[in-house]
């Protein structure tokens, strides 16, 4: 953020107590009304700034909004998140990202939101997206690869999410359930919805939308047994802003390496280490059937490798896996 707003934000951050408009205007050499206008702009961006007469302004403690300026304080990427569009409320960051991508938004553009009113999960499911507690982030990608190769992107995104979560909380066990769910101690903490607009031989754009339960409190009976959050697991609050920056950094790293290598070989071991399904009997629901078998791992192009009861091997490219005999989604 440049200009007066950025400089005022810095002053507010550095001052422990209220600071008067007069002091700010003197420090910056601008008029009181310019200070007042800039404070208004900061509030529009989502900053909570208390104003008390005779005392001045104070930046509210603990603000953790995944807005562009905040994420950029931590973000160290070349391209991912160069542009970040924040919505306090949106139907779905993925839907907005798909619309913006169709209108030409650049590779690496990110949409974040504080709340989703129609958060979407895989297989037409809902993604519960309450206000102010979790991370909802979608990124627009324009990979110069075939649609078949682009289907490897969900594997990259789940590895990026695991790495970001481990940077945030190093001692929690995060496990991957193919294709891209992340579980912690038996309950789901993160999911990713990847959508693509493509022609038969060419990808127009891909949107990778990740939801991570960050500061969600013990909640709703309907999902209490199946979902968790970082805060539920550790009884601590975490910064969504820092998590967003970690996610974008890790995603850019694996994405760039994948473009160079051309396949997923370089992350197979890491995937195996975190896999909740490797060696287990599973049922995989695909578009038109259920395939049951033992998970042998994933291939270098992202397919799930299943050993069937008749000793043949089957590769599944898309679907929803659950432990054999368990209810769907578990
Ligand atoms: C799943 O596990 O089924 C995928 C959940 C994906 C949720 C994220 S939240 C950000 C983005 N916007 C959406 O509407 N969905 C994804």
């Amino acid at each position: 953020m440049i200009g007066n707003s950025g400089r005022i934000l810095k002053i507010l951050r550095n001052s422990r107590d209220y600071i008067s408009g007069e002091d700010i205007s003197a420090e910056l050499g601008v008029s009181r009304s310019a200070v007042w206008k800039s404070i208004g702009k900061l509030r529009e961006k989502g900053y909570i700034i208390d104003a008390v007469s005779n005392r001045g302004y104070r930046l509210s403690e603990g603000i953790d909004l995944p807005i562009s300026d905040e994420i950029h304080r931590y973000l160290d990427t070349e391209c991912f998140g160069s542009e970040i569009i924040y919505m306090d409320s949106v139907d779905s960051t993925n839907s907005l990202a798909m619309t913006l991508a169709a209108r030409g938004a650049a590779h690496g553009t990110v949409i974040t939101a504080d709340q989703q009113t129609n958060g979407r999960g895989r297989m037409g499911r809902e993604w519960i997206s309450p206000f102010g507690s979790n991370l909802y982030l979608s990124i627009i990608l324009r990979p110069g690869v075939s649609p078949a190769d682009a289907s490897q992107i969900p594997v990259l995104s789940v590895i990026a999410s695991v790495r970001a979560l481990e940077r945030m909380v190093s001692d929690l066990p995060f496990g991957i359930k193919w294709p891209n769910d992340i579980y912690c101690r038996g309950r789901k903490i993160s999911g990713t919805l990847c959508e693509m607009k493509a022609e038969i031989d060419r990808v127009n754009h891909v949107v990778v939308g990740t939801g991570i339960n960050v500061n969600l409190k013990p909640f709703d009976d309907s999902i209490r047994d199946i979902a968790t959050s970082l805060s539920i697991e550790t009884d601590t609050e975490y910064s969504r802003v820092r998590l967003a920056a970690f996610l974008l950094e890790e995603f850019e790293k694996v994405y760039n390496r994948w473009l160079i290598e051309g396949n997923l070989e370089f992350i197979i071991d890491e995937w195996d280490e975190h896999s909740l399904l490797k060696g287990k009997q599973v049922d995989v629901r695909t578009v038109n059937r259920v395939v049951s078998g033992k998970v042998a791992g994933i291939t270098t192009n992202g397919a799930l490798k299943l050993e069937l009861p008749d000793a043949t091997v089957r590769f599944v490219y898309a679907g929803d896996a659950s432990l054999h005999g368990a209810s769907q989604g578990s």
Side-chain angles (χ1 to χ4, degrees):
M1 192 193 309
I2 45 164
N4 287 343
S5 303
R7 293 194 293 161
I8 290 175
L9 188 58
K10 208 166 167 194
I11 292 173
L12 292 174
R13 277 210 178 96
N14 290 340
S15 81
R16 293 216 179 100
D17 201 356
Y18 283 90
I19 177 162
S20 71
E22 203 174 344
D23 286 350
I24 298 175
S25 71
E27 191 168 333
L28 296 183
V30 299
S31 68
R32 294 276 302 272
S33 90
V35 170
W36 183 76
K37 268 193 203 148
S38 299
I39 296 273
K41 279 191 196 154
L42 288 169
R43 284 185 172 138
E44 274 167 27
K45 280 173 179 284
Y47 289 100
I48 299 167
I49 298 169
D50 306 328
V52 173
S53 52
N54 297 328
R55 297 188 71 189
Y57 301 103
R58 191 181 63 172
L59 187 63
S60 179
E61 293 288 328
I63 173 176
D64 181 40
L65 278 182
I67 57 181
S68 176
D69 296 326
E70 287 297 294
I71 296 174
H72 281 136
R73 287 175 66 205
Y74 301 97
L75 189 64
D76 182 14
T77 54
E78 275 166 21
C79 165
F80 281 25
S82 294
E83 166 134 34
I84 298 177
I85 298 162
Y86 163 79
M87 309 292 293
D88 54 2
S89 181
V90 69
D91 55 350
S92 150
T93 54
N94 259 42
S95 303
L96 180 57
M98 287 297 279
T99 304
L100 296 178
R103 289 189 198 146
H107 173 76
T109 301
V110 164
I111 321 293
T112 60
D114 212 14
Q115 174 188 35
Q116 296 185 118
T117 52
N118 186 24
R120 297 186 289 113
R122 294 180 61 249
M123 318 290 269
R125 288 189 286 253
E126 175 194 12
W127 185 256
I128 294 172
S129 310
F131 184 78
S133 50
N134 296 331
L135 185 63
Y136 316 115
L137 182 151
S138 300
I139 181 163
I140 296 167
L141 303 176
R142 298 188 181 279
V145 301
S146 69
D149 285 348
S151 67
Q152 297 173 22
I153 291 175
V155 178
L156 300 172
S157 78
V158 76
I159 290 291
S161 297
V162 166
R163 289 185 186 177
L165 282 163
E166 288 179 344
R167 273 174 73 179
M168 212 65 197
V169 193
S170 58
D171 51 358
L172 277 182
F174 297 109
I176 298 171
K177 183 166 84 66
W178 184 88
N180 46 18
D181 293 344
I182 302 176
Y183 279 70
C184 183
R185 297 178 180 140
R187 292 184 293 176
K188 185 159 165 176
I189 198 160
S190 170
T192 297
L193 175 66
C194 294
E195 298 179 283
M196 174 161 76
K197 169 96 173 36
E199 288 152 32
I200 201 85
D201 53 357
R202 180 178 157 265
V203 174
N204 290 316
H205 52 260
V206 173
V207 165
V208 180
T210 301
I212 301 182
N213 296 335
V214 184
N215 294 321
L216 198 64
K217 295 288 176 294
F219 40 89
D220 217 289
D221 280 346
S222 62
I223 53 172
R224 187 189 293 271
D225 294 339
I226 54 171
T228 190
S229 70
L230 287 179
S231 149
I232 290 173
E233 293 303 322
T234 58
D235 214 10
T236 310
E237 298 254 318
Y238 293 90
S239 161
R240 294 178 296 167
V241 166
R242 284 184 60 218
L243 183 58
F246 289 169
L247 177 61
L248 294 173
E249 284 173 10
E250 296 302 333
F251 198 8
E252 187 176 84
K253 265 188 243 162
V254 287
Y255 180 84
N256 286 344
R257 174 117 188 243
W258 171 72
L259 285 182
I260 293 166
E261 310 250 333
N263 64 52
L264 299 168
E265 174 89 58
F266 69 100
I267 44 176
I268 298 275
D269 287 347
E270 194 172 346
W271 195 92
D272 279 349
E273 275 163 30
H274 289 91
S275 172
L276 295 172
L277 300 182
K278 193 160 182 200
K280 303 260 169 63
Q281 289 292 336
V282 298
D283 302 318
V284 184
R285 187 161 57 106
T286 68
V287 181
N288 51 8
R289 52 169 45 199
V290 175
V291 189
S292 299
K294 189 165 122 186
V295 175
I298 55 164
T299 63
T300 56
N301 60 0
L304 189 71
K305 189 174 171 190
L306 284 181
E307 291 165 2
L308 303 197
D310 64 4
T312 57
V313 168
R314 175 80 56 89
F315 299 103
V316 186
Y317 290 85
D320 213 26
S322 50
L323 290 177
H324 183 62
S327 59
Q328 199 55 51
S330 57

